[in-house]
Coordinates of all heavy atoms in Angstrom, one line a residue:
I31 N 11.2 2.1 -2.2 CA 11.7 1.0 -1.4 C 10.6 0.1 -1.0 O 9.6 0.4 -0.4 CB 12.3 1.6 -0.1 CG1 13.4 2.7 -0.4 CG2 12.9 0.5 0.8 CD1 13.8 3.5 0.8
H32 N 10.8 -1.2 -1.4 CA 9.8 -2.2 -1.0 C 9.9 -2.5 0.5 O 11.0 -2.5 1.0 CB 10.0 -3.5 -1.8 CG 9.6 -3.5 -3.2 ND1 8.3 -3.8 -3.6 CD2 10.2 -3.1 -4.3 CE1 8.2 -3.7 -4.9 NE2 9.3 -3.2 -5.4
A33 N 8.8 -2.7 1.2 CA 8.8 -3.0 2.6 C 7.7 -3.9 2.9 O 6.7 -4.0 2.2 CB 8.6 -1.7 3.4
N34 N 7.8 -4.6 4.0 CA 6.7 -5.5 4.5 C 6.3 -5.0 5.9 O 7.1 -5.0 6.8 CB 7.2 -6.9 4.6 CG 6.0 -7.8 5.0 OD1 4.9 -7.6 4.6 ND2 6.3 -8.8 5.9
F35 N 5.1 -4.5 6.0 CA 4.7 -3.9 7.2 C 3.9 -4.8 8.2 O 3.0 -4.3 9.0 CB 3.8 -2.6 6.9 CG 4.5 -1.6 6.1 CD1 4.0 -1.0 5.0 CD2 5.8 -1.2 6.5 CE1 4.6 0.1 4.3 CE2 6.5 -0.2 5.8 CZ 5.9 0.4 4.7
G36 N 4.1 -6.1 8.1 CA 3.4 -7.0 8.9 C 3.2 -8.4 8.3 O 3.4 -8.6 7.1
W37 N 2.8 -9.3 9.2 CA 2.5 -10.6 8.7 C 1.1 -11.1 9.2 O 0.7 -10.7 10.3 CB 3.5 -11.6 9.2 CG 4.8 -11.5 8.6 CD1 6.0 -10.9 9.0 CD2 5.2 -12.1 7.3 NE1 7.0 -11.0 8.1 CE2 6.5 -11.8 7.0 CE3 4.5 -12.9 6.4 CZ2 7.2 -12.2 5.9 CZ3 5.1 -13.3 5.2 CH2 6.5 -12.9 5.0
L38 N 0.5 -11.9 8.3 CA -0.8 -12.6 8.7 C -0.6 -14.1 8.5 O 0.1 -14.5 7.5 CB -1.9 -12.1 7.8 CG -2.2 -10.6 7.7 CD1 -3.2 -10.3 6.6 CD2 -2.6 -10.0 9.0
A46 N 0.8 -14.6 4.9 CA 0.6 -13.6 3.9 C 1.3 -12.3 4.4 O 1.4 -12.0 5.6 CB -0.9 -13.3 3.8
S47 N 1.9 -11.6 3.5 CA 2.6 -10.4 3.8 C 1.7 -9.2 3.8 O 0.5 -9.2 3.5 CB 3.7 -10.2 2.7 OG 3.1 -10.0 1.4
C48 N 2.3 -8.0 4.3 CA 1.6 -6.7 4.2 C 2.6 -5.8 3.5 O 3.3 -4.9 4.0 CB 1.4 -6.2 5.6 SG 0.2 -7.1 6.6
H49 N 2.7 -6.1 2.2 CA 3.8 -5.5 1.3 C 3.4 -4.1 0.8 O 2.5 -4.0 0.0 CB 3.9 -6.5 0.1 CG 5.0 -6.2 -0.8 ND1 5.3 -7.0 -1.9 CD2 5.8 -5.1 -0.9 CE1 6.3 -6.5 -2.6 NE2 6.6 -5.3 -2.0
G50 N 4.0 -3.1 1.4 CA 3.8 -1.8 0.9 C 5.0 -1.1 0.4 O 6.0 -1.8 0.0
L51 N 5.0 0.2 0.3 CA 6.2 0.9 -0.2 C 6.6 2.1 0.7 O 5.7 2.7 1.3 CB 5.9 1.4 -1.6 CG 5.7 0.4 -2.7 CD1 5.2 1.1 -4.0 CD2 7.1 -0.3 -3.0
I52 N 7.9 2.4 0.7 CA 8.4 3.6 1.3 C 9.0 4.4 0.1 O 9.9 4.0 -0.6 CB 9.5 3.3 2.3 CG1 8.9 2.5 3.5 CG2 10.1 4.6 2.8 CD1 10.0 2.0 4.4
L53 N 8.4 5.6 -0.1 CA 8.9 6.5 -1.1 C 9.8 7.6 -0.4 O 9.2 8.3 0.5 CB 7.8 7.2 -1.9 CG 6.7 6.3 -2.5 CD1 5.7 7.1 -3.3 CD2 7.4 5.2 -3.4
V59 N 9.4 11.5 3.4 CA 9.0 10.1 3.2 C 7.4 10.1 2.9 O 6.7 10.8 3.6 CB 9.3 9.3 4.5 CG1 8.7 7.8 4.3 CG2 10.8 9.2 4.7
V60 N 7.1 9.2 2.0 CA 5.7 8.9 1.7 C 5.5 7.4 1.8 O 6.3 6.7 1.3 CB 5.3 9.4 0.3 CG1 3.8 9.0 0.0 CG2 5.5 10.9 0.1
L61 N 4.5 7.0 2.5 CA 4.2 5.6 2.6 C 3.0 5.2 1.7 O 2.1 6.0 1.5 CB 3.8 5.2 4.1 CG 4.9 5.5 5.2 CD1 4.3 5.1 6.5 CD2 6.1 4.7 4.9
V62 N 3.1 4.0 1.2 CA 1.9 3.4 0.5 C 1.4 2.3 1.3 O 2.1 1.2 1.4 CB 2.4 3.0 -1.0 CG1 1.1 2.5 -1.7 CG2 3.0 4.2 -1.7
D63 N 0.3 2.5 1.9 CA -0.3 1.6 2.9 C 0.6 1.6 4.2 O 1.8 1.9 4.1 CB -0.6 0.2 2.4 CG -2.0 0.2 1.6 OD1 -2.8 1.2 1.8 OD2 -2.2 -0.8 0.9
T64 N 0.1 1.1 5.3 CA 0.8 1.2 6.5 C 0.9 -0.1 7.4 O 1.5 -0.2 8.4 CB 0.3 2.3 7.5 OG1 -1.0 1.9 7.9 CG2 0.3 3.6 6.7
G65 N 0.2 -1.1 6.9 CA 0.2 -2.4 7.6 C -0.3 -2.4 9.0 O -1.2 -1.7 9.4
I66 N 0.3 -3.2 9.9 CA 0.0 -3.4 11.3 C 0.8 -2.4 12.1 O 2.0 -2.4 12.0 CB 0.2 -4.8 11.8 CG1 -0.6 -5.8 10.9 CG2 -0.1 -5.0 13.2 CD1 -0.2 -7.3 11.1
G67 N 0.2 -1.5 12.8 CA 0.9 -0.4 13.5 C 1.2 -0.7 14.9 O 0.8 -1.8 15.5
M68 N 2.0 0.2 15.5 CA 2.4 0.0 16.9 C 1.2 0.0 17.9 O 1.2 -0.7 18.9 CB 3.4 1.1 17.3 CG 4.3 0.7 18.5 SD 5.4 -0.7 18.1 CE 6.7 0.2 17.1
D70 N -1.8 -1.0 17.2 CA -2.4 -2.3 17.1 C -1.8 -3.3 18.0 O -2.5 -4.2 18.6 CB -2.3 -2.8 15.6 CG -3.1 -1.9 14.6 OD1 -4.0 -1.2 15.0 OD2 -2.7 -2.0 13.4
I71 N -0.5 -3.3 18.1 CA 0.3 -4.2 18.9 C 0.0 -4.0 20.4 O -0.2 -5.0 21.2 CB 1.8 -4.1 18.6 CG1 2.1 -4.6 17.2 CG2 2.6 -4.9 19.6 CD1 3.5 -4.3 16.7
F88 N -3.5 -12.3 12.5 CA -2.6 -11.1 12.7 C -1.4 -11.6 13.6 O -1.6 -12.2 14.6 CB -3.3 -10.0 13.4 CG -4.1 -9.1 12.5 CD1 -5.3 -9.5 12.0 CD2 -3.6 -7.8 12.1 CE1 -6.0 -8.7 11.1 CE2 -4.3 -7.0 11.3 CZ -5.5 -7.4 10.8
Q89 N -0.2 -11.2 13.1 CA 1.0 -11.4 13.9 C 1.5 -10.1 14.3 O 1.7 -9.2 13.5 CB 2.1 -12.2 13.0 CG 1.6 -13.4 12.4 CD 1.2 -14.5 13.4 OE1 2.1 -14.9 14.2 NE2 0.0 -15.0 13.3
F90 N 1.7 -9.9 15.6 CA 2.1 -8.6 16.1 C 3.6 -8.5 16.4 O 4.1 -9.0 17.4 CB 1.3 -8.3 17.4 CG -0.2 -8.3 17.1 CD1 -1.1 -9.3 17.5 CD2 -0.8 -7.2 16.4 CE1 -2.4 -9.2 17.3 CE2 -2.1 -7.1 16.1 CZ -3.0 -8.2 16.5
I91 N 4.3 -7.9 15.4 CA 5.7 -7.9 15.4 C 6.2 -6.5 15.3 O 6.1 -5.8 14.3 CB 6.3 -8.7 14.2 CG1 5.7 -10.2 14.2 CG2 7.8 -8.8 14.2 CD1 6.0 -11.0 12.9
R92 N 6.8 -6.0 16.3 CA 7.2 -4.5 16.4 C 8.2 -4.1 15.3 O 8.1 -3.1 14.7 CB 7.8 -4.2 17.8 CG 6.7 -4.3 18.9 CD 7.4 -4.0 20.3 NE 6.4 -4.2 21.3 CZ 5.6 -3.2 21.7 NH1 5.7 -2.0 21.2 NH2 4.7 -3.4 22.7
D93 N 9.1 -5.0 15.0 CA 10.1 -4.7 14.0 C 9.6 -4.5 12.6 O 10.2 -3.9 11.8 CB 11.3 -5.7 14.0 CG 12.1 -5.6 15.3 OD1 12.1 -4.5 16.0 OD2 12.9 -6.5 15.6
C94 N 8.4 -5.1 12.4 CA 7.8 -5.0 11.0 C 7.0 -3.7 10.9 O 6.7 -3.3 9.7 CB 6.8 -6.2 10.8 SG 7.7 -7.7 10.4
T95 N 6.7 -3.0 11.9 CA 5.8 -1.8 11.8 C 6.5 -0.8 10.9 O 7.8 -0.7 10.9 CB 5.5 -1.2 13.1 OG1 6.7 -0.8 13.8 CG2 4.7 -2.2 14.0
A96 N 5.7 0.0 10.2 CA 6.3 1.1 9.4 C 7.1 2.1 10.2 O 8.2 2.5 9.8 CB 5.2 1.8 8.7
I97 N 6.7 2.4 11.4 CA 7.4 3.4 12.2 C 8.8 2.8 12.7 O 9.8 3.5 12.7 CB 6.6 3.8 13.4 CG1 7.2 5.1 14.0 CG2 6.4 2.7 14.4 CD1 6.4 5.8 15.0
A98 N 8.8 1.5 12.9 CA 10.1 0.9 13.3 C 11.1 0.9 12.1 O 12.3 1.2 12.2 CB 9.9 -0.5 13.8
Q99 N 10.5 0.7 10.9 CA 11.4 0.7 9.7 C 11.8 2.1 9.3 O 13.0 2.3 8.8 CB 10.6 0.0 8.5 CG 10.4 -1.5 8.8 CD 9.8 -2.2 7.7 OE1 10.4 -2.2 6.6 NE2 8.7 -2.9 7.8
I100 N 11.0 3.1 9.5 CA 11.4 4.5 9.3 C 12.5 4.8 10.2 O 13.5 5.5 9.9 CB 10.2 5.4 9.4 CG1 9.2 5.1 8.3 CG2 10.7 6.9 9.4 CD1 9.7 5.3 6.9
L103 N 15.8 3.6 9.2 CA 16.4 4.4 8.1 C 17.1 5.6 8.6 O 17.7 6.4 7.9 CB 15.3 4.8 7.1 CG 14.8 3.7 6.2 CD1 13.6 4.2 5.4 CD2 15.8 3.1 5.3
V110 N 7.5 11.5 7.7 CA 6.4 10.9 6.9 C 5.3 11.9 6.8 O 4.5 12.1 7.7 CB 5.9 9.6 7.6 CG1 4.7 9.0 6.7 CG2 7.0 8.5 7.7
I113 N 0.6 9.7 3.3 CA 0.4 8.2 3.2 C -0.7 8.1 2.1 O -1.7 8.7 2.1 CB -0.1 7.7 4.5 CG1 0.9 7.8 5.6 CG2 -0.6 6.2 4.4 CD1 0.4 7.5 7.0
V114 N -0.4 7.2 1.2 CA -1.4 6.8 0.1 C -2.0 5.5 0.5 O -1.3 4.5 0.8 CB -0.7 6.7 -1.2 CG1 -1.7 6.4 -2.3 CG2 0.1 8.0 -1.6
H120 N -8.3 -3.5 8.2 CA -7.5 -3.4 9.4 C -6.0 -3.6 9.1 O -5.2 -2.9 9.7 CB -7.9 -4.6 10.3 CG -9.3 -4.7 10.7 ND1 -10.3 -5.4 10.0 CD2 -10.0 -4.1 11.7 CE1 -11.5 -5.3 10.6 NE2 -11.3 -4.5 11.6
D121 N -5.6 -4.5 8.2 CA -4.2 -4.8 8.0 C -3.5 -3.8 7.1 O -2.3 -3.9 6.8 CB -4.1 -6.2 7.4 CG -4.9 -6.4 6.2 OD1 -6.0 -6.0 6.1 OD2 -4.3 -7.1 5.2
H122 N -4.2 -2.8 6.6 CA -3.6 -1.8 5.7 C -3.5 -0.4 6.5 O -2.7 0.4 6.1 CB -4.5 -1.6 4.5 CG -4.4 -2.7 3.5 ND1 -3.7 -2.7 2.3 CD2 -5.0 -3.9 3.6 CE1 -3.9 -3.8 1.7 NE2 -4.6 -4.6 2.5
V123 N -4.3 -0.2 7.5 CA -4.4 1.2 8.1 C -3.9 1.2 9.5 O -3.9 2.3 10.1 CB -5.8 1.7 8.1 CG1 -6.4 1.7 6.7 CG2 -6.7 0.9 9.0
G124 N -3.4 0.1 10.0 CA -2.9 0.1 11.4 C -1.9 1.1 11.8 O -1.8 1.6 12.9
G125 N -1.0 1.4 10.8 CA 0.1 2.4 11.1 C -0.3 3.8 10.9 O 0.6 4.7 11.2
D128 N 0.4 6.0 13.9 CA 1.9 6.2 14.2 C 2.4 7.4 13.5 O 3.5 7.9 13.9 CB 2.7 4.9 13.8 CG 2.3 3.7 14.6 OD1 2.0 3.9 15.8 OD2 2.4 2.6 14.1
F129 N 1.7 7.9 12.6 CA 2.1 9.2 11.8 C 0.9 10.1 11.8 O 0.3 10.4 10.8 CB 2.5 8.8 10.4 CG 3.5 7.7 10.4 CD1 3.1 6.4 10.1 CD2 4.9 7.9 10.6 CE1 4.0 5.3 10.1 CE2 5.8 6.9 10.6 CZ 5.4 5.6 10.3
Y214 N 1.2 -1.0 -7.9 CA 0.9 -1.7 -6.7 C -0.6 -1.9 -6.7 O -1.3 -0.9 -6.7 CB 1.5 -0.9 -5.5 CG 0.9 -1.3 -4.2 CD1 0.9 -2.6 -3.7 CD2 0.3 -0.3 -3.3 CE1 0.4 -2.9 -2.4 CE2 -0.2 -0.6 -2.1 CZ -0.2 -1.9 -1.7 OH -0.7 -2.3 -0.4
Y269 N -0.3 -7.0 -2.3 CA 0.0 -6.8 -0.9 C 0.3 -8.1 -0.1 O 1.1 -8.1 0.8 CB -1.3 -6.2 -0.2 CG -1.1 -5.6 1.2 CD1 -0.2 -4.5 1.4 CD2 -1.8 -6.1 2.3 CE1 -0.1 -3.9 2.6 CE2 -1.7 -5.5 3.5 CZ -0.8 -4.4 3.7 OH -0.7 -3.9 4.9
L275 N 7.7 -10.5 -2.5 CA 8.6 -9.8 -1.6 C 10.1 -9.9 -2.1 O 10.5 -11.0 -2.5 CB 8.6 -10.2 -0.2 CG 7.3 -9.9 0.6 CD1 7.4 -10.7 1.9 CD2 7.1 -8.5 0.8
I279 N 14.0 -9.0 2.2 CA 13.1 -8.7 3.3 C 12.9 -10.0 4.1 O 12.7 -11.1 3.6 CB 11.7 -8.3 2.7 CG1 11.8 -6.9 2.1 CG2 10.6 -8.3 3.8 CD1 10.6 -6.4 1.5
P280 N 13.1 -9.9 5.5 CA 13.0 -11.1 6.3 C 11.6 -11.8 6.2 O 10.6 -11.2 6.0 CB 13.2 -10.5 7.7 CG 13.9 -9.2 7.5 CD 13.4 -8.7 6.2
F285 N 11.3 -13.7 12.8 CA 10.9 -12.8 13.9 C 10.4 -13.7 15.1 O 9.7 -14.7 14.9 CB 9.8 -11.9 13.4 CG 10.2 -10.9 12.4 CD1 9.9 -11.2 11.0 CD2 10.9 -9.8 12.7 CE1 10.3 -10.3 10.0 CE2 11.3 -8.9 11.7 CZ 11.0 -9.1 10.4

Side-chain angles (χ1 to χ4, degrees):
I31 304 169
H32 286 268
N34 184 40
F35 298 135
W37 285 100
L38 307 173
S47 59
C48 296
H49 184 176
L51 290 171
I52 299 170
L53 310 182
V59 177
V60 177
L61 299 179
V62 182
D63 279 344
T64 66
I66 300 168
M68 202 66 77
D70 296 335
I71 293 172
F88 277 76
Q89 307 295 303
F90 297 108
I91 305 169
R92 292 177 184 271
D93 288 344
C94 282
T95 61
I97 194 167
Q99 296 189 53
I100 295 302
L103 288 174
V110 177
I113 297 168
V114 183
H120 304 92
D121 55 318
H122 291 253
V123 304
D128 295 328
F129 310 98
Y214 161 55
Y269 195 63
L275 290 173
I279 292 179
F285 295 97

